[in-house]
PDB file of all heavy atoms in Angstrom:
ATOM      1  N   ALA Q 193     -11.630  17.709  -1.205  1.00  0.00           N
ATOM      2  CA  ALA Q 193     -11.305  18.938  -1.921  1.00  0.00           C
ATOM      3  C   ALA Q 193      -9.895  19.423  -1.573  1.00  0.00           C
ATOM      4  O   ALA Q 193      -9.178  19.914  -2.462  1.00  0.00           O
ATOM      5  CB  ALA Q 193     -12.326  20.021  -1.583  1.00  0.00           C
ATOM      6  N   VAL Q 194      -9.482  19.287  -0.321  1.00  0.00           N
ATOM      7  CA  VAL Q 194      -8.134  19.730   0.062  1.00  0.00           C
ATOM      8  C   VAL Q 194      -7.077  18.979  -0.732  1.00  0.00           C
ATOM      9  O   VAL Q 194      -6.151  19.564  -1.291  1.00  0.00           O
ATOM     10  CB  VAL Q 194      -7.928  19.506   1.590  1.00  0.00           C
ATOM     11  CG1 VAL Q 194      -6.451  19.671   1.954  1.00  0.00           C
ATOM     12  CG2 VAL Q 194      -8.758  20.507   2.388  1.00  0.00           C
ATOM     13  N   VAL Q 195      -7.210  17.650  -0.794  1.00  0.00           N
ATOM     14  CA  VAL Q 195      -6.213  16.855  -1.506  1.00  0.00           C
ATOM     15  C   VAL Q 195      -6.286  17.129  -3.011  1.00  0.00           C
ATOM     16  O   VAL Q 195      -5.252  17.342  -3.666  1.00  0.00           O
ATOM     17  CB  VAL Q 195      -6.419  15.346  -1.225  1.00  0.00           C
ATOM     18  CG1 VAL Q 195      -5.397  14.508  -2.003  1.00  0.00           C
ATOM     19  CG2 VAL Q 195      -6.288  15.089   0.264  1.00  0.00           C
ATOM     20  N   ALA Q 196      -7.481  17.111  -3.564  1.00  0.00           N
ATOM     21  CA  ALA Q 196      -7.643  17.306  -5.005  1.00  0.00           C
ATOM     22  C   ALA Q 196      -7.136  18.665  -5.451  1.00  0.00           C
ATOM     23  O   ALA Q 196      -6.439  18.794  -6.464  1.00  0.00           O
ATOM     24  CB  ALA Q 196      -9.116  17.142  -5.382  1.00  0.00           C
ATOM     25  N   LEU Q 197      -7.486  19.715  -4.703  1.00  0.00           N
ATOM     26  CA  LEU Q 197      -7.048  21.049  -5.067  1.00  0.00           C
ATOM     27  C   LEU Q 197      -5.544  21.193  -4.959  1.00  0.00           C
ATOM     28  O   LEU Q 197      -4.903  21.821  -5.821  1.00  0.00           O
ATOM     29  CB  LEU Q 197      -7.741  22.086  -4.173  1.00  0.00           C
ATOM     30  CG  LEU Q 197      -7.483  23.556  -4.485  1.00  0.00           C
ATOM     31  CD1 LEU Q 197      -7.906  23.881  -5.918  1.00  0.00           C
ATOM     32  CD2 LEU Q 197      -8.238  24.443  -3.506  1.00  0.00           C
ATOM     33  N   SER Q 198      -4.946  20.615  -3.917  1.00  0.00           N
ATOM     34  CA  SER Q 198      -3.486  20.677  -3.781  1.00  0.00           C
ATOM     35  C   SER Q 198      -2.794  19.989  -4.955  1.00  0.00           C
ATOM     36  O   SER Q 198      -1.854  20.560  -5.554  1.00  0.00           O
ATOM     37  CB  SER Q 198      -3.062  20.001  -2.467  1.00  0.00           C
ATOM     38  OG  SER Q 198      -3.630  20.641  -1.357  1.00  0.00           O
ATOM     39  N   LEU Q 199      -3.236  18.809  -5.293  1.00  0.00           N
ATOM     40  CA  LEU Q 199      -2.601  18.080  -6.387  1.00  0.00           C
ATOM     41  C   LEU Q 199      -2.778  18.792  -7.708  1.00  0.00           C
ATOM     42  O   LEU Q 199      -1.832  18.900  -8.518  1.00  0.00           O
ATOM     43  CB  LEU Q 199      -3.167  16.660  -6.468  1.00  0.00           C
ATOM     44  CG  LEU Q 199      -2.834  15.728  -5.290  1.00  0.00           C
ATOM     45  CD1 LEU Q 199      -3.635  14.437  -5.402  1.00  0.00           C
ATOM     46  CD2 LEU Q 199      -1.375  15.431  -5.231  1.00  0.00           C
ATOM     47  N   ALA Q 200      -3.989  19.258  -7.987  1.00  0.00           N
ATOM     48  CA  ALA Q 200      -4.254  19.929  -9.258  1.00  0.00           C
ATOM     49  C   ALA Q 200      -3.456  21.220  -9.357  1.00  0.00           C
ATOM     50  O   ALA Q 200      -2.850  21.520 -10.415  1.00  0.00           O
ATOM     51  CB  ALA Q 200      -5.761  20.230  -9.371  1.00  0.00           C
ATOM     52  N   PHE Q 201      -3.392  22.010  -8.294  1.00  0.00           N
ATOM     53  CA  PHE Q 201      -2.682  23.278  -8.318  1.00  0.00           C
ATOM     54  C   PHE Q 201      -1.176  23.076  -8.564  1.00  0.00           C
ATOM     55  O   PHE Q 201      -0.591  23.704  -9.456  1.00  0.00           O
ATOM     56  CB  PHE Q 201      -2.897  24.056  -7.028  1.00  0.00           C
ATOM     57  CG  PHE Q 201      -2.052  25.283  -6.913  1.00  0.00           C
ATOM     58  CD1 PHE Q 201      -2.337  26.409  -7.649  1.00  0.00           C
ATOM     59  CD2 PHE Q 201      -0.951  25.296  -6.092  1.00  0.00           C
ATOM     60  CE1 PHE Q 201      -1.558  27.541  -7.551  1.00  0.00           C
ATOM     61  CE2 PHE Q 201      -0.138  26.436  -5.987  1.00  0.00           C
ATOM     62  CZ  PHE Q 201      -0.472  27.558  -6.714  1.00  0.00           C
ATOM     63  N   PHE Q 202      -0.550  22.212  -7.779  1.00  0.00           N
ATOM     64  CA  PHE Q 202       0.913  22.037  -7.919  1.00  0.00           C
ATOM     65  C   PHE Q 202       1.288  21.296  -9.179  1.00  0.00           C
ATOM     66  O   PHE Q 202       2.425  21.432  -9.656  1.00  0.00           O
ATOM     67  CB  PHE Q 202       1.461  21.339  -6.675  1.00  0.00           C
ATOM     68  CG  PHE Q 202       1.520  22.234  -5.478  1.00  0.00           C
ATOM     69  CD1 PHE Q 202       0.599  22.123  -4.453  1.00  0.00           C
ATOM     70  CD2 PHE Q 202       2.494  23.237  -5.376  1.00  0.00           C
ATOM     71  CE1 PHE Q 202       0.640  22.969  -3.360  1.00  0.00           C
ATOM     72  CE2 PHE Q 202       2.537  24.077  -4.296  1.00  0.00           C
ATOM     73  CZ  PHE Q 202       1.615  23.959  -3.254  1.00  0.00           C
ATOM     74  N   SER Q 203       0.375  20.543  -9.777  1.00  0.00           N
ATOM     75  CA  SER Q 203       0.661  19.898 -11.022  1.00  0.00           C
ATOM     76  C   SER Q 203       0.411  20.814 -12.211  1.00  0.00           C
ATOM     77  O   SER Q 203       1.291  21.047 -13.057  1.00  0.00           O
ATOM     78  CB  SER Q 203      -0.194  18.609 -11.189  1.00  0.00           C
ATOM     79  OG  SER Q 203       0.058  18.007 -12.408  1.00  0.00           O
ATOM     80  N   TYR Q 204      -0.792  21.410 -12.280  1.00  0.00           N
ATOM     81  CA  TYR Q 204      -1.167  22.199 -13.454  1.00  0.00           C
ATOM     82  C   TYR Q 204      -0.600  23.605 -13.429  1.00  0.00           C
ATOM     83  O   TYR Q 204      -0.366  24.194 -14.477  1.00  0.00           O
ATOM     84  CB  TYR Q 204      -2.692  22.230 -13.584  1.00  0.00           C
ATOM     85  CG  TYR Q 204      -3.327  20.887 -13.676  1.00  0.00           C
ATOM     86  CD1 TYR Q 204      -4.577  20.658 -13.111  1.00  0.00           C
ATOM     87  CD2 TYR Q 204      -2.717  19.842 -14.314  1.00  0.00           C
ATOM     88  CE1 TYR Q 204      -5.178  19.386 -13.187  1.00  0.00           C
ATOM     89  CE2 TYR Q 204      -3.274  18.574 -14.387  1.00  0.00           C
ATOM     90  CZ  TYR Q 204      -4.523  18.358 -13.829  1.00  0.00           C
ATOM     91  OH  TYR Q 204      -5.105  17.134 -13.913  1.00  0.00           O
ATOM     92  N   ASN Q 205      -0.427  24.179 -12.243  1.00  0.00           N
ATOM     93  CA  ASN Q 205       0.050  25.567 -12.165  1.00  0.00           C
ATOM     94  C   ASN Q 205       1.538  25.653 -11.856  1.00  0.00           C
ATOM     95  O   ASN Q 205       2.143  26.673 -12.165  1.00  0.00           O
ATOM     96  CB  ASN Q 205      -0.733  26.334 -11.113  1.00  0.00           C
ATOM     97  CG  ASN Q 205      -2.204  26.522 -11.463  1.00  0.00           C
ATOM     98  OD1 ASN Q 205      -2.930  25.564 -11.511  1.00  0.00           O
ATOM     99  ND2 ASN Q 205      -2.583  27.759 -11.755  1.00  0.00           N
ATOM    100  N   ARG Q 206       2.094  24.618 -11.236  1.00  0.00           N
ATOM    101  CA  ARG Q 206       3.512  24.672 -10.900  1.00  0.00           C
ATOM    102  C   ARG Q 206       4.378  23.651 -11.650  1.00  0.00           C
ATOM    103  O   ARG Q 206       5.575  23.606 -11.463  1.00  0.00           O
ATOM    104  CB  ARG Q 206       3.671  24.466  -9.394  1.00  0.00           C
ATOM    105  CG  ARG Q 206       3.077  25.571  -8.527  1.00  0.00           C
ATOM    106  CD  ARG Q 206       3.690  26.923  -8.836  1.00  0.00           C
ATOM    107  NE  ARG Q 206       3.213  27.969  -7.984  1.00  0.00           N
ATOM    108  CZ  ARG Q 206       3.808  28.339  -6.863  1.00  0.00           C
ATOM    109  NH1 ARG Q 206       4.885  27.680  -6.404  1.00  0.00           N
ATOM    110  NH2 ARG Q 206       3.328  29.328  -6.131  1.00  0.00           N
ATOM    111  N   GLY Q 207       3.734  22.825 -12.461  1.00  0.00           N
ATOM    112  CA  GLY Q 207       4.500  21.896 -13.302  1.00  0.00           C
ATOM    113  C   GLY Q 207       5.152  20.771 -12.563  1.00  0.00           C
ATOM    114  O   GLY Q 207       6.119  20.194 -13.070  1.00  0.00           O
ATOM    115  N   LEU Q 208       4.665  20.401 -11.385  1.00  0.00           N
ATOM    116  CA  LEU Q 208       5.241  19.308 -10.622  1.00  0.00           C
ATOM    117  C   LEU Q 208       4.512  17.995 -10.920  1.00  0.00           C
ATOM    118  O   LEU Q 208       3.377  18.027 -11.395  1.00  0.00           O
ATOM    119  CB  LEU Q 208       5.189  19.636  -9.127  1.00  0.00           C
ATOM    120  CG  LEU Q 208       5.997  20.860  -8.689  1.00  0.00           C
ATOM    121  CD1 LEU Q 208       5.778  21.122  -7.202  1.00  0.00           C
ATOM    122  CD2 LEU Q 208       7.476  20.663  -8.980  1.00  0.00           C
ATOM    123  N   PRO Q 209       5.140  16.850 -10.644  1.00  0.00           N
ATOM    124  CA  PRO Q 209       4.485  15.563 -10.915  1.00  0.00           C
ATOM    125  C   PRO Q 209       3.167  15.437 -10.141  1.00  0.00           C
ATOM    126  O   PRO Q 209       3.027  15.993  -9.044  1.00  0.00           O
ATOM    127  CB  PRO Q 209       5.489  14.518 -10.449  1.00  0.00           C
ATOM    128  CG  PRO Q 209       6.790  15.244 -10.450  1.00  0.00           C
ATOM    129  CD  PRO Q 209       6.503  16.684 -10.154  1.00  0.00           C
ATOM    130  N   LEU Q 210       2.229  14.708 -10.714  1.00  0.00           N
ATOM    131  CA  LEU Q 210       0.915  14.526 -10.082  1.00  0.00           C
ATOM    132  C   LEU Q 210       1.027  13.443  -9.025  1.00  0.00           C
ATOM    133  O   LEU Q 210       0.598  12.300  -9.208  1.00  0.00           O
ATOM    134  CB  LEU Q 210      -0.116  14.136 -11.142  1.00  0.00           C
ATOM    135  CG  LEU Q 210      -1.581  14.103 -10.674  1.00  0.00           C
ATOM    136  CD1 LEU Q 210      -2.039  15.491 -10.230  1.00  0.00           C
ATOM    137  CD2 LEU Q 210      -2.483  13.580 -11.786  1.00  0.00           C
ATOM    138  N   THR Q 211       1.627  13.802  -7.892  1.00  0.00           N
ATOM    139  CA  THR Q 211       1.788  12.882  -6.784  1.00  0.00           C
ATOM    140  C   THR Q 211       1.757  13.635  -5.480  1.00  0.00           C
ATOM    141  O   THR Q 211       1.941  14.871  -5.477  1.00  0.00           O
ATOM    142  CB  THR Q 211       3.083  12.043  -6.942  1.00  0.00           C
ATOM    143  OG1 THR Q 211       3.142  11.060  -5.932  1.00  0.00           O
ATOM    144  CG2 THR Q 211       4.291  12.936  -6.852  1.00  0.00           C
ATOM    145  N   LEU Q 212       1.503  12.953  -4.376  1.00  0.00           N
ATOM    146  CA  LEU Q 212       1.251  13.643  -3.119  1.00  0.00           C
ATOM    147  C   LEU Q 212       2.423  14.500  -2.648  1.00  0.00           C
ATOM    148  O   LEU Q 212       2.220  15.590  -2.097  1.00  0.00           O
ATOM    149  CB  LEU Q 212       0.923  12.606  -2.028  1.00  0.00           C
ATOM    150  CG  LEU Q 212      -0.525  12.179  -1.854  1.00  0.00           C
ATOM    151  CD1 LEU Q 212      -1.362  13.350  -1.361  1.00  0.00           C
ATOM    152  CD2 LEU Q 212      -1.136  11.618  -3.101  1.00  0.00           C
ATOM    153  N   ARG Q 213       3.643  14.054  -2.881  1.00  0.00           N
ATOM    154  CA  ARG Q 213       4.789  14.811  -2.406  1.00  0.00           C
ATOM    155  C   ARG Q 213       4.860  16.216  -2.998  1.00  0.00           C
ATOM    156  O   ARG Q 213       5.364  17.130  -2.341  1.00  0.00           O
ATOM    157  CB  ARG Q 213       6.060  14.054  -2.723  1.00  0.00           C
ATOM    158  CG  ARG Q 213       6.418  13.958  -4.197  1.00  0.00           C
ATOM    159  CD  ARG Q 213       7.733  13.233  -4.420  1.00  0.00           C
ATOM    160  NE  ARG Q 213       7.624  11.829  -4.092  1.00  0.00           N
ATOM    161  CZ  ARG Q 213       8.654  11.079  -3.791  1.00  0.00           C
ATOM    162  NH1 ARG Q 213       9.869  11.580  -3.767  1.00  0.00           N
ATOM    163  NH2 ARG Q 213       8.495   9.798  -3.509  1.00  0.00           N
ATOM    164  N   SER Q 214       4.357  16.390  -4.233  1.00  0.00           N
ATOM    165  CA  SER Q 214       4.432  17.676  -4.899  1.00  0.00           C
ATOM    166  C   SER Q 214       3.704  18.775  -4.103  1.00  0.00           C
ATOM    167  O   SER Q 214       4.083  19.943  -4.153  1.00  0.00           O
ATOM    168  CB  SER Q 214       3.860  17.589  -6.307  1.00  0.00           C
ATOM    169  OG  SER Q 214       4.621  16.689  -7.092  1.00  0.00           O
ATOM    170  N   ALA Q 215       2.631  18.364  -3.375  1.00  0.00           N
ATOM    171  CA  ALA Q 215       1.824  19.357  -2.624  1.00  0.00           C
ATOM    172  C   ALA Q 215       2.597  19.961  -1.453  1.00  0.00           C
ATOM    173  O   ALA Q 215       2.146  20.933  -0.870  1.00  0.00           O
ATOM    174  CB  ALA Q 215       0.545  18.686  -2.131  1.00  0.00           C
TER     175      ALA Q 215
END
Side-chain angles (χ1 to χ4, degrees):
V194 167
V195 179
L197 185 58
S198 299
L199 293 172
F201 172 75
F202 285 104
S203 178
Y204 303 145
N205 294 68
R206 295 301 185 91
L208 296 176
L210 188 63
T211 186
L212 272 293
R213 68 178 69 202
S214 297

